[in-house]
């Protein structure tokens, strides 16, 4: 019985993850175009709003909008507009949350997922950054690797999950590798684009001042490509969150994905929501954190 | 005022720093082959302040880029005397913006020294010195996008000087400056140069600037770029920009260079129009 359920779930999970990946894919290919309108938007906002700075106002809106959504949901469930079996009220979910926090379940599972996410991001992100920047600098390397990337990138990462399980087993390794694969592509693709967008005159300056290959790499290619690399990292972490949830639903004994899957098996809808909300919250916190990191490591982007 | 045809300069008494023979550079583009430079033969003595003027697109930048080893000649040879031990051969001040946007003014100015892994104490001293001389000490921690175009040009001058190269290649370094700042920086440049007597190649569109700063002025022809004439500038050094410009001999020199240049600019324009019509 359970095996049939598993099979169903795999198909379901794969197709929904496929959709999510498609969106992430579109975002990855559109980052160049998207990056600039965003910047000009910020400039315009800064001019329009008189007293408060645009970034401060953005931060406040970022906090208020999810709270408003929760209030509406509570009302909708209590008044019977929503079916409480599928959409339990936020207050009920909150009770479950308190229980899961109290007995350590939520924290243990979140910690397990975070660790996998961290190691996966490191394992996928660092090589992607090195290889991407090198590809941006050296045409022959680009000629060799580009076809491989183009051929493998469109394959839904969730579709290779069985293969990864086969190779790396049911333990930690397969989860970390899944995250790594998800982080790898957006970082790589953005790093290549970022380096190729660097004005050639900067490379001439490096050459004229006798910068070694490694010095060109660290003082010109990486900082020059950093704005796009950061976009790649953001997309990669988003991808990693999607993939870790999927990976933990298959053959895992811990993690948020496991918690959600297990909640479905024991029909604890509230626990499922707690898991979903935790993942959403993680995504939100990662976005804030990465924006903050971006602000610190790209100080030259500051408007005058 | 002595005007010397380009070809008779060979065998000059001063030691030659740069010897160029039959230099040609062409670019292949989808629109066809563009001959940027042709028949350039030239000796530049050590310590010469050598000015290059010519119509836009006549290959001035290309010539400097070949000397900086950023471009290879299509034909001909370039010989450059070796620098002192441990000294870089040349530093270029690029036309337009070339400061790294991701580095502060200080880090930009320190770039050459940092790439050569000089000790921090030396970098602090040299960079501090040159930032002070161009009046940018206050902006050491600023990023280039927080500066005006003229301030950025000043920093790129400091970047080249701080590297202490044997030869300075300056591609229109003062073009984004207003007249007052330009005169001040010309004075400053003359002072620094007086102290070091480096070989300098300096591109400008300003005949005034060429006559004020240079020992020799090469006037170039357009399409392809050739050395039309090389003019010796007879004024004594040290020079003071405004005093110099008050002399009658200065006016005569500028006037004669203008005459030659105007011919070239008109010829270049006629060629361009011809291309448009055909
Ligand atoms: N990389 C290149 N590819 C093709 N053509 C080039 C290239 N670089 C320069 N050229 C051509 O060579 C000619 C000389 O260019 P160059 O930049 O040396 O002119 P310039 O004298 O410095 O002009 P300006 O005074 O406007 O700076 C121009 O016709 C230009 O179009
Ligand atoms: Mg030029």
């Amino acid at each position: 019985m359970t095996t049939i359920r598993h099979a169903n779930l795999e198909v379901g999970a794969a197709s929904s993850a496929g959709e999510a990946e498609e969106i992430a894919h579109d975002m990855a290919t559109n980052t160049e175009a998207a990056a600039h309108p965003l910047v000009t938007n910020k400039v315009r906002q800064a001019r329009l709003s008189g007293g408060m700075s645009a970034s401060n106002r953005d931060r406040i809106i970022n906090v208020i909008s999810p709270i408003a959504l929760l209030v509406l949901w509570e009302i909708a469930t209590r008044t019977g507009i929503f079916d409480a079996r599928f959409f339990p009220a936020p207050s009920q979910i909150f009770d479950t949350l308190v229980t899961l926090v109290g007995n350590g379940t939520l924290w243990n599972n979140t910690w397990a997922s975070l660790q996998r996410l961290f190691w996966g991001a490191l394992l996928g992100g660092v090589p992607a950054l090195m290889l991407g920047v090198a590809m941006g600098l050296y045409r022959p390397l680009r000629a060799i690797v580009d076809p491989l990337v183009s051929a493998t990138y469109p394959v839904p990462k969730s579709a290779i999950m069985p293969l990864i399980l086969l190779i790396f087993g049911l333990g930690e390794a397969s989860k970390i590798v899944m995250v790594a694969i998800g982080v790898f592509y957006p970082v790589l693709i953005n790093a290549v684009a970022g380096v190729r967008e660097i004005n050639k005159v900067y490379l001439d300056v490096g050459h004229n001042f006798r910068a070694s290959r490694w010095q060109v790499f660290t003082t010109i290619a990486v900082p020059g490509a950093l704005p796009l690399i950061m976009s790649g990292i953001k997309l990669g972490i988003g991808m990693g969150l999607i993939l870790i949830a999927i990976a933990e639903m298959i053959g895992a004994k811990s993690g948020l994905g496991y918690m959600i899957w297990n909640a479905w098996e024991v029909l604890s809808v509230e626990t499922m929501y707690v898991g979903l909300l935790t993942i959403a919250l993680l995504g939100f916190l990662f976005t804030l954190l990465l924006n903050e990191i971006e602000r610190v490591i790209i100080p030259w982007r500051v408007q005058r | 005022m002595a005007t010397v045809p380009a070809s008779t300069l060979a065998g000059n008494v001063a030691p030659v720093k740069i010897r160029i023979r039959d230099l040609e550079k062409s670019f292949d583009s989808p629109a066809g082959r563009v001959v940027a430079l042709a028949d350039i033969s030239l000796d530049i003595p050590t310590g010469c302040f050598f000015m290059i003027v010519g119509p836009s697109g006549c290959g001035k930048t290309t010539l400097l880029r070949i000397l900086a080893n950023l471009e290879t000649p299509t034909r001909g040879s370039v010989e450059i005397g070796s620098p002192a031990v441990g000294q870089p051969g040349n530093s270029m001040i690029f036309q337009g913006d070339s400061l790294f946007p991701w580095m502060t003014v200080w880090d930009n100015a320190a770039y050459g020294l940092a790439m050569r892994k000089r000790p921090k104490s030396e970098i602090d001293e040299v960079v501090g010195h040159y930032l002070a001389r161009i009046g940018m000490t206050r902006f050491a921690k600023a990023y280039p996008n927080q500066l005006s175009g003229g301030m950025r040009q000043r920093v790129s001058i400091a970047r080249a000087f701080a590297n202490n190269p044997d030869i300075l290649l300056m591609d229109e370094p003062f073009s984004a400056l207003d007249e007052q700042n330009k005169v001040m920086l010309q004075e400053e440049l003359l002072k620094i140069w007086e102290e070091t007597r480096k070989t300098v190649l300096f591109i400008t569109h300003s005949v005034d600037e060429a006559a004020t700063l240079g020992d020799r002025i090469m006037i170039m022809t357009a399409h392809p770029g050739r050395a039309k004439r090389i003019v010796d500038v007879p004024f004594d050094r040290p020079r003071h920009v405004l005093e110099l410009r008050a002399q009658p001999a200065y006016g005569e020199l500028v006037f004669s260079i203008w005459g030659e240049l105007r011919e070239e600019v008109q010829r270049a324009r006629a060629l361009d129009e011809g291309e448009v019509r055909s």
Side-chain angles (χ1 to χ4, degrees), chain A residues 175-191:
Chain A
K175 276 95 198 158
I176 291 171
V177 167
M178 279 303 283
V179 174
I181 291 171
V183 173
F184 181 82
Y185 283 95
V187 174
L188 179 88
I189 290 165
N190 278 274

Side-chain angles (χ1 to χ4, degrees), chain B residues 255-269:
Chain B
F255 186 75
S256 77
I257 299 170
W258 253 119
E260 304 232 16
L261 205 54
R262 183 178 304 122
E263 242 174 61
E264 271 322 303
V265 173
Q266 279 166 354
R267 205 174 64 82
R269 203 173 284 169

Side-chain angles (χ1 to χ4, degrees), chain A residues 60-118:
Chain A
I60 289 170
I61 293 173
N62 282 348
V63 173
I64 289 176
S65 71
I67 292 174
L69 189 74
L70 286 181
V71 171
L72 286 177
W73 180 355
E74 179 81 32
I75 294 167
T77 307
R78 291 208 179 175
T79 53
I81 299 172
F82 282 179
D83 185 337
R85 282 173 306 166
F86 307 136
F87 303 105
S91 54
Q92 267 172 283
I93 296 171
F94 184 77
D95 287 345
T96 314
L97 175 73
V98 171
T99 315
L100 290 175
V101 170
N103 64 24
T105 311
L106 182 63
W107 173 243
N108 289 341
N109 286 319
T110 306
W111 181 237
S113 294
L114 279 178
Q115 273 180 310
R116 290 164 186 151
L117 206 57
F118 175 79

